[in-house]
Amino acid sequence: MDEFKYHYQYPHPAVTTDCVIFGFDGTRLNVLLIERGIEPYKGHWAFPGGFIRMDETCEQCARRELLEETGLSTAYMRQFHSFSSVDRDPRERVITIAYYALVRLSEVTGGDDATRAQWFALDEVPALAFDHDLILRRATTELRKQIHFEPIGFELLPEQFTMKQLQHLYEAVLDVKFDRRNFYNKMLHLGLLAEQPETLARANHRDAKLYRFNPESYAELKQKGFRLEF
Amino acid sequence: MDEFKYHYQYPHPAVTTDCVIFGFDGTRLNVLLIERGIEPYKGHWAFPGGFIRMDETCEQCARRELLEETGLSTAYMRQFHSFSSVDRDPRERVITIAYYALVRLSEVTGGDDATRAQWFALDEVPALAFDHDLILRRATTELRKQIHFEPIGFELLPEQFTMKQLQHLYEAVLDVKFDRRNFYNKMLHLGLLAEQPETLARANHRDAKLYRFNPESYAELKQKGFRLEF
DNA sequence: TCAAAAGTGTTCGCTATACACCCATGG
DNA sequence: CCATGGGTGTATAGCGAACACTTTTGA
């Protein structure tokens, strides 16, 4: 019985997708890692990923992995780079198409039990399997680039959030500090936020207003040639 | 004799790279297309591209194609997206990793004679083979995004250029018009241009100053946290 | 009444924009 | 001397950055 039953006239690389899943814990940016149960790199941490099927696109493949590990069937997801070093996988030639996903930590469920998954703060990520260190660095820089000009930060926050939470998010992703008052002013004047009727009661403090991202306003502004920037 | 001598346990897609080669003719942005000599899409125009070898990275593969078609061994080149629709190639499952290159038209030589290659202005590109229409649209939007924030426009101009040429380039790529005086001021104050001793003699007009892009200045500014923007 | 965080406005300086004049060249 | 494009400066408005005070809440 021949296990190698797929024949080609020319050599073909294997193709995988890998998925860098970002979450925000209120203070720091986190990524979801899987502990590998098999060789190569058994026991090392890596991004969720897997071989592409012949009947699915890369995006479908990446979404399948996201679903398996987070229970989420929808989330913001973006292809950011393909990695093709000849020796990046010791088994065979493997080219990977990498995505990053932005998820709300509160919505993440365990995923299937077969794999050990764990969130790591960006600055506490251990050495990773394969070339995943490189993939993480690239994912982070691409995310930063993108958040400068597109309102994707909201994908990491609950539907309703306070101004302070939003500020902390931007500070965590961009690794900068903003003046609180200027941040409030800028955000409100952009016209992308809808003030919510509810407020968030805080112990010992004044209640905080809750906001929601308003995609319609953004679509409208974008059509008028408006360019968001941070 | 078995022609299908490469065996795998699981099905593998074929992987290609495609290369959108941009050039600037002084007025409009152009792309280099190849007329396909074989099926599928025989007689249709397509981007230079080909199957990846087992001993080269995608970037090396794309550069190989660039060299074959333009004679250029160095040029600005950027991977911008991978395309993986299941039916994008009728022969077999093919995933392509797409690059765009920015070249100086003056430096392009014929490439090898085997293929018929031709420059097309962006707005005169015919219907393309495979999903190359989609690839072109994506390449164009990515190029526009990138030129907003990185000084890559110079890659499309001769080493020495006049302010007017530079303005025309930006206008062609971004599809906007700039006020000539404001464009001059902004460019000069950015500090990215080195004024050249030579001038360009123009018939019937005053000579034009020639400039050169100064990568050192840019590196210096970038390190200081300066963000370029158009 | 105090501590800690929320909410709001004003001033200032820079930069993008709109706009006008003089210069150099060839015919 | 004139037509054509090259080169430079100025006035204004709008936006981002720096910055201070008041409000609310629970202890």
Side-chain angles (χ1 to χ4, degrees):
Chain A
M1 189 174 115
D2 188 3
E3 293 225 46
F4 295 82
K5 55 188 177 186
Y6 298 93
H7 304 327
Y8 303 95
Q9 198 172 353
Y10 299 100
H12 282 39
V15 175
T16 61
T17 68
D18 284 303
C19 196
V20 181
I21 304 172
F22 286 110
F24 181 62
D25 64 10
T27 308
R28 292 187 295 180
L29 204 54
N30 287 47
V31 289
L32 187 65
L33 297 175
I34 306 289
E35 190 176 26
R36 286 184 60 82
I38 56 167
E39 294 293 348
Y41 292 100
K42 182 173 178 176
H44 287 199
W45 296 90
F47 295 115
F51 293 93
I52 192 170
R53 297 180 184 164
M54 289 301 105
D55 61 350
E56 69 183 359
T57 64
C58 291
E59 164 128 8
Q60 286 163 348
C61 182
R63 287 202 175 274
R64 199 158 45 76
E65 287 145 18
L66 179 73
L67 179 63
E68 282 168 14
E69 303 304 334
T70 65
L72 296 173
S73 56
T74 62
Y76 181 84
M77 199 158 215
R78 179 169 168 259
Q79 184 195 307
F80 68 91
H81 199 70
S82 299
F83 297 84
S84 61
S85 296
V86 172
D87 298 318
R88 53 180 300 284
D89 191 310
R91 292 168 292 185
E92 64 174 319
R93 180 76 198 275
V94 179
I95 292 173
T96 197
I97 299 174
Y99 287 75
Y100 58 76
L102 306 182
V103 305
R104 303 181 218 281
L105 282 188
S106 59
E107 298 179 359
V108 172
T109 64
D112 56 26
D113 328 0
T115 53
R116 221 184 85 175
Q118 193 177 314
W119 289 97
F120 289 85
L122 261 195
D123 49 10
E124 294 172 359
V125 169
L128 300 177
F130 305 105
D131 56 354
H132 287 199
D133 296 300
L134 175 61
I135 294 179
L136 177 57
R137 277 200 301 281
R138 184 71 186 249
T140 309
T141 62
E142 291 294 333
L143 172 61
R144 282 188 181 146
K145 267 194 206 172
Q146 204 195 355
I147 207 173
H148 268 294
F149 309 108
E150 288 175 67
I152 54 171
F154 308 102
E155 307 286 343
L156 290 161
L157 289 177
E159 285 283 341
Q160 297 192 133
F161 49 84
T162 66
M163 224 21 130
K164 175 141 281 210
Q165 287 177 304
L166 186 60
Q167 183 182 345
H168 280 154
L169 168 68
Y170 272 89
E171 290 180 340
V173 175
L174 296 175
D175 195 27
V176 293
K177 292 290 172 195
F178 293 107
D179 178 89
R180 184 175 61 89
R181 298 157 289 188
N182 290 336
F183 188 85
Y184 274 48
N185 286 335
K186 174 158 185 179
M187 268 298 168
L188 289 177
H189 289 148
L190 279 177
L192 299 178
L193 299 184
E195 194 171 320
Q196 299 300 96
E198 301 88 355
T199 59
L200 181 67
R202 309 287 317 275
N204 267 32
H205 312 305
R206 181 172 172 176
D207 289 1
K209 283 188 189 169
L210 285 169
Y211 296 89
R212 188 176 60 75
F213 173 56
N214 188 337
E216 293 81 24
S217 305
Y218 177 61
E220 208 175 301
L221 283 168
K222 201 166 72 169
Q223 206 184 339
K224 289 180 190 164
F226 158 84
R227 275 211 339 254
L228 179 64
E229 182 174 347
F230 275 92
Chain B
M1 187 176 117
D2 188 3
E3 293 225 46
F4 295 83
K5 55 187 175 185
Y6 297 94
H7 304 330
Y8 303 95
Q9 200 172 350
Y10 299 99
H12 282 39
V15 175
T16 60
T17 68
D18 284 301
C19 197
V20 181
I21 304 171
F22 286 108
F24 181 62
D25 64 9
T27 308
R28 292 187 296 179
L29 204 53
N30 287 47
V31 289
L32 187 65
L33 297 174
I34 306 291
E35 190 174 27
R36 286 184 59 81
I38 56 166
E39 293 293 349
Y41 292 100
K42 182 174 178 175
H44 287 189
W45 295 90
F47 295 115
F51 294 93
I52 192 170
R53 297 180 185 164
M54 290 300 105
D55 61 351
E56 70 183 358
T57 64
C58 291
E59 164 127 8
Q60 285 164 348
C61 182
R63 287 204 175 275
R64 199 160 43 78
E65 286 144 20
L66 179 73
L67 178 63
E68 283 168 12
E69 302 306 334
T70 65
L72 297 173
S73 56
T74 63
Y76 181 85
M77 199 157 216
R78 178 169 170 258
Q79 183 195 308
F80 68 93
H81 200 69
S82 299
F83 297 84
S84 61
S85 296
V86 173
D87 298 317
R88 54 181 299 285
D89 192 309
R91 293 167 292 184
E92 66 174 318
R93 180 75 198 276
V94 180
I95 292 172
T96 197
I97 299 174
Y99 288 75
Y100 58 76
L102 306 183
V103 305
R104 304 181 218 279
L105 282 187
S106 60
E107 297 179 0
V108 171
T109 63
D112 55 26
D113 329 358
T115 53
R116 220 184 85 173
Q118 193 177 313
W119 289 97
F120 289 85
L122 261 195
D123 50 9
E124 293 172 358
V125 169
L128 300 177
F130 305 105
D131 56 355
H132 287 199
D133 296 300
L134 174 62
I135 294 178
L136 177 56
R137 276 200 302 280
R138 184 72 186 248
T140 310
T141 63
E142 292 293 333
L143 172 61
R144 282 187 181 147
K145 267 194 207 173
Q146 205 195 354
I147 207 173
H148 268 293
F149 308 108
E150 288 175 67
I152 54 171
F154 307 103
E155 307 286 343
L156 290 161
L157 290 176
E159 285 285 340
Q160 299 192 132
F161 48 84
T162 66
M163 222 25 127
K164 175 141 280 209
Q165 286 177 304
L166 186 59
Q167 182 181 347
H168 280 154
L169 168 67
Y170 273 89
E171 291 179 339
V173 175
L174 296 175
D175 194 27
V176 293
K177 292 291 172 195
F178 293 107
D179 178 88
R180 182 176 63 92
R181 296 158 290 186
N182 290 336
F183 187 86
Y184 274 48
N185 286 334
K186 173 160 186 178
M187 268 298 168
L188 289 177
H189 289 147
L190 279 177
L192 300 178
L193 299 184
E195 193 171 320
Q196 299 300 98
E198 301 87 357
T199 59
L200 182 66
R202 309 287 317 275
N204 267 33
H205 313 306
R206 180 173 172 176
D207 288 1
K209 282 189 190 169
L210 285 169
Y211 297 90
R212 187 176 60 76
F213 173 57
N214 189 338
E216 293 80 24
S217 305
Y218 176 62
E220 208 175 300
L221 284 168
K222 201 166 69 167
Q223 206 185 338
K224 289 179 189 163
F226 159 83
R227 278 216 331 261
L228 179 64
E229 182 174 347
F230 275 92

